[in-house]
Amino acid sequence: MDLCMGVIAWLVVLIPLAIYKSKVLDVLHLGDPIAIGVGVQIEKERRLLLLISVALAGVCVSVGGGITFLGLIAPHIARRLVGARHAKLLPLTAILGSLLLLSANTLGRVLMAPMELPVGIIVSILGAPYFIYLLVKNI
């Protein structure tokens, strides 16, 4: 219970902060000269955004473990669905990541019942073909 409350406390602070900074992310995505021209202090903002992202990743990995493909798949799928606007991209990425993990966990429990497949293997099986598709499409 203590671990759960600690994680929730971090997430309640960090997720709204990341969504609040979504406009800065959009401007930084345009490039350094444009961001400087708009008045963004790029080094300060990059440090803050890096701190937020590392803290979010650390909190999530401390609880969920290193399900690596999930953190790579969800943003790519979300970007395809809503485009590059971070105000929409960040919440959708979180929702898609949750749904993918829940689906992989359910498949891992059902496919070879009564044995369970680890969720990381199922996520990798789902994620590898998608990344191969992205590689082939961009070549």
Side-chain angles (χ1 to χ4, degrees):
M1 185 67 169
D2 293 332
L3 177 67
C4 185
M5 293 308 284
V7 169
I8 289 172
W10 280 102
L11 294 180
V12 164
V13 171
L14 293 172
I15 289 175
L17 187 58
I19 292 172
Y20 175 74
K21 288 292 187 178
S22 65
K23 289 182 181 167
V24 174
L25 282 168
D26 289 338
V27 173
L28 287 173
H29 188 70
L30 296 173
D32 287 354
I34 293 174
I36 291 170
V38 173
V40 174
Q41 297 176 354
I42 57 174
E43 290 303 318
K44 176 186 167 193
E45 294 295 338
R46 280 190 179 142
R47 273 190 232 114
L48 179 62
L49 290 167
L50 182 63
L51 180 70
I52 293 169
S53 63
V54 167
L56 277 170
V59 168
C60 293
V61 168
S62 72
V63 174
I67 303 170
T68 56
F69 269 120
L70 187 62
L72 297 172
I73 298 169
H76 285 286
I77 295 172
R79 190 173 299 268
R80 285 213 173 264
L81 293 174
V82 297
R85 296 225 27 232
H86 288 88
K88 294 179 181 177
L89 183 65
L90 294 174
L92 184 62
T93 299
I95 292 169
L96 278 175
S98 301
L99 289 174
L100 284 170
L101 185 63
L102 183 63
S103 301
N105 188 31
T106 304
L107 280 173
R109 290 175 185 254
V110 170
L111 283 179
M112 297 181 62
M115 291 179 18
E116 288 185 24
L117 287 174
V119 70
I121 292 174
I122 301 295
V123 170
S124 298
I125 289 170
L126 296 174
Y130 186 70
F131 274 113
I132 292 170
Y133 162 74
L134 286 176
L135 282 171
V136 170
K137 182 178 176 254
N138 289 329
I139 291 178

